[in-house]
Amino acid sequence: MNHIILLFSLLLAPAFAGTESQKTNQNFSSSNASHKRLKRDWIWNQMHIKEEIDTPLPHHVGKITSSVRNSNAKYIIEGEYANTIFKVEETSGDVYAFERLDREKKAEYELTALIIDRRNNQSLEPPSKFIIKVYDINDNVPVFVHKVFNGSVPEMSPVGTSVTKVTAVDADDPTVTGHATVTYQVIKGEEYFTVDDSGVISTTRADLDRENQSTYEIIVKAKDAPGSSGDSSTATVIITLTDINDNFPVFKHPSFHFKVPENISVGGEVGRVKVEDIDEPQHRNTKYSFVRGDYRDTFEIVANPFTNEGIIRPKKPLDFERVAEYRFDIEATDPTVDLRYFKSGGSRSISTVTIEVTDVDEPPVFTKLPYEFKVRENDLEVKILGSVWAHDPDAAKRKIRFIRRRASPNGDYVRVSDTGIIQLPKPLDREFSSSYNITVAAQEVLEDGHLSDRESHAQVHVIVTDENDNAPELVYPEEPRVCENAAPGKVIIRISATDKDEISPRGFFKYYLATEDSNFSLVENYDNTANITVKYGEFNRELAKIHYLPVIISDNGDPELSSTNTLVISVCKCNERGDFTFCEERAKQVGVSIQALVAIFICIFTIIVIVLLILLRKRHKKDLSGLGRNVAEIHEQLVTYDEEGGGEMDTTSYDVSVLNSVRKNGIKAEAVPSPYAQVQKPPGNITSGAGEMEMMIEVKKDEADNDRDLLPYDTLHIYGYEGAESIAESLSSLESGSSDSDIDYDFLNDWGPRFKMLAELYGTEPSEDFVY
């Protein structure tokens, strides 16, 4: 009983608690009723519309409804297509489409619904977005992505081999059954190819042969509805058969005939045999071989990789006199042909080849190549080394003459006679060259005695064996130096030697000092080198700053040769660490080559010749100047007189008496008689005037023209005669010094400023002194 009462209490407790809570919430709601508005909701049906509706516009889409109860409520819509494609009735909320819709262009439209108070345009509810879906109808034909498709497949492929894939696209809704499901069908070329629902084209025959037909053009249809109904489109597919190597080469001719001269070079082209392979070039791999005829060692056939022709080449020289014609059979085959697709007709093709060898005038043939001779150097007794020999391979068997063409080293060291004898005009020196090579040419002597223009060559090698005729020489790697306080045993330098002869097989060079009376010692290293060391130590720079140490080197040859070489060792000052701090500079030996001496001699000789020529020219001028001194003196003095002079007192530089002598009494100056006719000067009492001056000029001209002893002058430079009837006489300063005239020149002051200088010179008293 107690348990029942407890259970009943537990069941009633939540009810009472709920009642109290409800009362409390109601009271709380009542107390806040004036502050919180009850929530309202938008109510409308789901909106959708079919595309391409044929009924007249507008088309009803749906209705938007709000729970707001307000007589002034007004519905409006917003969005990209609001009030253009879609419009809403303000009071009822019905939405209409004012254009026919196309789902393939746009499948959904998103708009925003609003309800406002038409009196103040205040929003009565928050905006709400809604979507209008466009339902699809099957109004589009499947369209191929390409008008023309291309594919390829190897020829002779098995049935069902995939070729290519075609694709058509339907713009209708794929979620609607039958609207976008595309099926394919081959409507042209179905006897060779087929296509599945996914668009994959494959072969239906296994005997597609590229050599018969290389390309196929088929037409594929695509439709979007099952069965025979539904719209469709077509596309063209071009299928190319790719080549496989399934054909053997075949000779174009059953036989081939070639002519070739016997002097064709080994490896030259005799001719070409041609085959036909209907496969493409990349699958042509013809191999040629001999079938009958024992000439495999004479000829070879090599396939040209570009033309597939067989090139016949000789493997050895041909000889018309031995074999004039070759005949053999050759076979052409292709080892890479795929035998699975081999066609009947045979895998071998055989042809006969005939090669006719023609005779030509061949050059002589040497019997031995190359020729090699050995001779000991400096051997005075050996004059002939041997001989070379060649013969005419033709039937004429002409005589052969030998000529030396080239030599290395260049020079007359090895000769060859007309009959091929190799001669030495003088002994050979191995140190100059260890081998002497010449090229000998052999030419046939024709019937008329001339040499044929065809020749053959042979190399002759003369090897010079060595004899011990050169002493070893010291190699100077650096200038040896030693510290003045060097300790005994200190290594100064490591010396080595070289020998122009071959190294003696009996051992190394031997080194020893020419004298033991020195502060140096020599220690052999037994590796062709030796060390120069300090013997006693403590050098005295005051006594000797440079030591000359003679070192003897022998070569252990047969006979044994030795040489004495001098080491110049400098004694230097050093610091505590043994580093050189000061060494005297040694005068370096400067060698002058013969070419340099010849050039110096030529320069000196050239300078001497030039000096002699200059001296001879000066002497010649001096001799010429002495000829006709009396008459030429006037010319020489006046030619060099290019100044106006210093006036009356300037009478020391020139002998004016010579000029005055011309004027005195009209007597001509003493001159060398001329071998030609002379014109005499008129006497002094001839009436002066223009005629007198003209005559004077003529006289001077004739003297200059007719006297060959004088130097040539192009113009007449001086005339000392001015005439005898001048009232003022001569105004020249040349005669003013010796004139004793009493004429008063003060009237020059009245002639104006142009004669001011003359008035000052001649208008003053004789006792006045002028300073210039």
Side-chain angles (χ1 to χ4, degrees):
M1 187 64 181
N2 293 332
H3 294 289
I4 295 174
I5 295 173
L6 179 60
L7 181 60
F8 182 74
S9 300
L10 292 174
L11 292 173
L12 293 178
F16 288 110
T19 304
E20 294 297 329
S21 176
Q22 184 177 3
K23 291 180 180 179
T24 304
N25 290 337
Q26 289 177 354
N27 293 335
F28 179 76
S29 298
S30 301
S31 63
N32 294 293
S34 60
H35 302 286
K36 186 175 181 181
R37 182 167 57 88
L38 293 178
K39 182 179 180 181
R40 300 181 178 88
D41 297 324
W42 285 95
I43 302 172
W44 59 72
N45 296 326
Q46 184 180 3
M47 293 190 187
H48 57 83
I49 184 174
K50 286 185 177 183
E51 63 173 336
E52 303 294 346
I53 299 176
D54 294 334
T55 59
L57 295 173
H59 300 149
H60 185 266
V61 178
K63 185 175 183 178
I64 56 176
T65 305
S66 175
S67 59
V68 174
R69 297 294 180 260
N70 191 331
S71 59
N72 295 318
K74 176 184 177 182
Y75 293 98
I76 61 175
I77 58 174
E78 294 180 350
E80 182 181 358
Y81 300 96
N83 301 317
T84 55
I85 297 178
F86 301 100
K87 295 181 180 180
V88 62
E89 208 285 325
E90 296 181 355
T91 57
S92 63
D94 292 320
V95 179
Y96 294 91
F98 284 80
E99 290 183 9
R100 287 183 174 82
L101 305 181
D102 188 354
R103 192 201 66 84
E104 285 70 39
K105 292 183 179 179
K106 191 171 182 63
E108 293 182 351
Y109 297 88
E110 183 178 308
L111 302 173
T112 302
L114 300 93
I115 183 170
I116 61 175
D117 192 332
R118 69 177 65 249
R119 294 173 298 179
N120 53 16
N121 290 332
Q122 294 294 324
S123 179
L124 302 178
E125 286 292 339
S128 178
K129 293 183 182 294
F130 65 97
I131 295 176
I132 300 176
K133 291 186 176 182
V134 181
Y135 282 175
D136 181 53
I137 62 173
N138 193 7
D139 59 343
N140 289 280
V141 178
V143 178
F144 284 96
V145 295
H146 302 291
K147 288 292 184 181
V148 179
F149 291 85
N150 291 282
S152 63
V153 63
E155 63 175 332
M156 311 302 289
S157 296
V159 175
T161 303
S162 176
V163 178
T164 187
K165 183 179 181 180
V166 296
T167 303
V169 178
D170 195 332
D172 291 326
D173 190 354
T175 61
V176 180
T177 304
H179 282 197
T181 302
V182 182
T183 59
Y184 302 93
Q185 180 185 358
V186 177
I187 60 176
K188 178 185 175 182
E190 63 273 10
E191 65 272 22
Y192 304 109
F193 303 96
T194 184
V195 61
D196 59 15
D197 291 339
S198 62
V200 176
I201 299 175
S202 57
T203 60
T204 59
R205 298 177 58 174
D207 59 348
L208 299 178
D209 192 352
R210 187 196 67 85
E211 286 71 35
N212 294 330
Q213 184 176 349
S214 60
T215 58
Y216 294 85
E217 183 176 312
I218 66 174
I219 297 177
V220 179
K221 180 177 71 173
K223 61 180 181 177
D224 62 355
S228 58
S229 63
D231 297 322
S232 63
S233 62
T234 59
T236 301
V237 182
I238 298 176
I239 300 173
T240 302
L241 297 183
T242 59
D243 183 54
I244 64 172
N245 194 4
D246 58 344
N247 294 279
F248 286 97
V250 178
F251 281 108
K252 290 186 177 182
H253 305 286
S255 63
F256 296 90
H257 186 272
F258 303 103
K259 282 187 177 183
V260 60
E262 63 174 335
N263 62 346
I264 184 174
S265 60
V266 175
E269 183 176 324
V270 175
R272 298 191 177 197
V273 294
K274 298 182 179 181
V275 296
E276 183 178 7
D277 190 339
I278 58 177
D279 289 326
E280 290 186 351
Q282 67 271 19
H283 292 138
R284 297 171 186 170
N285 190 22
T286 303
K287 300 296 181 183
Y288 298 91
S289 59
F290 293 91
V291 178
R292 286 182 296 272
D294 191 17
Y295 299 117
R296 293 179 178 87
D297 60 338
T298 306
F299 298 97
E300 64 177 354
I301 305 177
V302 180
N304 187 310
F306 302 102
T307 63
N308 210 33
E309 298 172 322
I311 304 174
I312 302 176
R313 295 192 177 102
K315 297 171 62 176
K316 62 182 182 181
L318 304 182
D319 191 352
F320 171 79
E321 287 72 24
R322 294 181 58 189
V323 180
E325 184 179 272
Y326 297 88
R327 185 185 297 272
F328 48 84
D329 294 340
I330 58 174
E331 176 190 13
T333 185
D334 189 348
T336 61
V337 169
D338 193 340
L339 298 179
R340 293 178 301 172
Y341 310 110
F342 168 65
K343 304 179 182 65
S344 59
S347 61
R348 302 177 66 189
S349 179
I350 298 176
S351 180
T352 301
V353 176
T354 301
I355 299 176
E356 181 182 348
V357 181
T358 60
D359 187 25
V360 295
D361 185 13
E362 300 175 88
V365 177
F366 282 94
T367 57
K368 179 184 177 182
L369 291 174
Y371 293 89
E372 183 175 298
F373 304 97
K374 290 186 178 181
V375 62
R376 188 176 183 85
E377 70 170 327
N378 303 323
D379 194 338
L380 300 176
E381 298 180 356
V382 177
K383 300 294 184 181
I384 298 176
L385 298 179
S387 62
V388 296
W389 182 252
H391 68 279
D392 183 7
D394 298 322
K397 302 300 179 184
R398 299 187 180 99
K399 292 183 179 180
I400 307 300
R401 182 173 296 176
F402 299 93
I403 304 172
R404 195 190 77 167
R405 289 301 186 198
R406 291 178 294 274
S408 176
N410 192 19
D412 188 21
Y413 301 106
V414 181
R415 298 175 182 173
V416 59
S417 67
D418 293 344
T419 58
I421 298 176
I422 306 301
Q423 303 170 341
L424 295 180
K426 59 183 178 181
L428 302 180
D429 186 4
R430 194 202 69 86
E431 284 70 44
F432 176 74
S433 179
S434 61
S435 65
Y436 295 80
N437 304 316
I438 63 171
T439 300
V440 178
Q443 291 179 300
E444 298 176 5
V445 180
L446 302 178
E447 287 75 8
D448 57 359
H450 293 84
L451 296 178
S452 172
D453 56 352
R454 299 181 60 81
E455 62 181 41
S456 56
H457 301 89
Q459 301 297 324
V460 177
H461 307 286
V462 179
I463 299 175
V464 183
T465 59
D466 184 49
E467 69 174 7
N468 194 23
D469 59 344
N470 291 278
E473 298 176 354
L474 184 65
V475 177
Y476 297 91
E478 59 184 9
E479 296 180 357
R481 297 181 296 178
V482 62
C483 294
E484 61 178 340
N485 57 351
K490 172 68 176 177
V491 177
I492 300 174
I493 190 174
R494 186 175 189 176
I495 61 175
S496 61
T498 182
D499 196 336
K500 296 180 180 179
D501 297 319
E502 294 180 353
I503 299 298
S504 173
R506 296 191 295 173
F508 302 103
F509 295 124
K510 292 189 298 185
Y511 302 86
Y512 49 92
L513 299 178
T515 176
E516 297 294 333
D517 188 15
S518 67
N519 195 14
F520 303 96
S521 60
L522 186 146
V523 180
E524 288 264 13
N525 295 326
Y526 303 102
D527 60 352
N528 271 344
T529 63
N531 292 337
I532 303 297
T533 61
V534 179
K535 189 174 183 180
Y536 305 113
E538 293 296 332
F539 292 90
N540 190 348
R541 281 174 49 85
E542 300 297 332
L543 296 178
K545 298 178 182 178
I546 296 177
H547 293 264
Y548 299 92
L549 181 65
V551 179
I552 300 175
I553 309 173
S554 62
D555 58 5
N556 287 324
D558 185 19
E560 182 175 290
L561 298 179
S562 62
S563 65
T564 301
N565 304 265
T566 302
L567 273 178
V568 182
I569 303 175
S570 300
V571 179
C572 305
K573 295 182 180 180
C574 301
N575 55 21
E576 294 79 2
R577 298 189 302 272
D579 299 330
F580 298 110
T581 58
F582 177 76
C583 295
E584 273 71 22
E585 290 290 338
R586 293 184 296 168
K588 296 183 179 179
Q589 297 181 354
V590 179
V592 181
S593 63
I594 296 177
Q595 293 83 353
L597 291 175
V598 172
I600 294 173
F601 176 76
I602 292 174
C603 293
I604 295 175
F605 179 76
T606 304
I607 294 173
I608 293 174
V609 170
I610 293 173
V611 171
L612 290 176
L613 291 176
I614 294 174
L615 293 176
L616 290 174
R617 180 177 177 83
K618 288 185 176 181
R619 182 174 181 180
H620 181 67
K621 286 185 176 181
K622 185 176 181 181
D623 293 341
L624 290 177
S625 64
L627 297 176
R629 177 63 182 171
N630 293 336
V631 177
E633 180 181 6
I634 303 174
H635 294 272
E636 291 292 337
Q637 290 182 359
L638 293 183
V639 167
T640 58
Y641 188 82
D642 54 358
E643 300 176 357
E644 294 183 1
E648 188 175 350
M649 299 180 67
D650 186 9
T651 59
T652 60
S653 298
Y654 303 94
D655 188 1
V656 296
S657 62
V658 178
L659 299 176
N660 293 330
S661 65
V662 180
R663 183 170 178 261
K664 296 294 184 179
N665 298 322
I667 299 175
K668 176 182 174 184
E670 184 180 357
V672 178
S674 172
Y676 300 97
Q678 299 183 4
V679 178
Q680 299 296 328
K681 291 179 61 176
N685 58 357
I686 297 177
T687 305
S688 61
E692 182 182 357
M693 181 60 67
E694 182 179 359
M695 184 176 295
M696 183 65 186
I697 293 174
E698 292 294 335
V699 169
K700 290 294 183 180
K701 240 174 69 176
D702 290 339
E703 290 178 358
D705 291 340
N706 297 325
D707 194 349
R708 291 189 176 183
D709 295 331
L710 296 178
L711 292 176
Y713 287 90
D714 293 335
T715 58
L716 197 60
H717 292 282
I718 55 96
Y719 301 101
Y721 183 68
E722 296 185 1
E725 299 301 327
S726 174
I727 298 176
E729 294 191 3
S730 176
L731 297 179
S732 172
S733 62
L734 296 177
E735 293 184 350
S736 62
S738 59
S739 177
D740 52 358
S741 176
D742 295 334
I743 298 176
D744 186 6
Y745 292 100
D746 290 339
F747 64 88
L748 294 175
N749 293 320
D750 301 332
W751 288 10
R754 294 187 178 181
F755 295 90
K756 182 179 180 181
M757 178 60 71
L758 289 176
E760 292 177 355
L761 291 175
Y762 291 91
T764 57
E765 295 295 331
S767 61
E768 294 180 1
D769 295 331
F770 296 98
V771 180
Y772 294 89

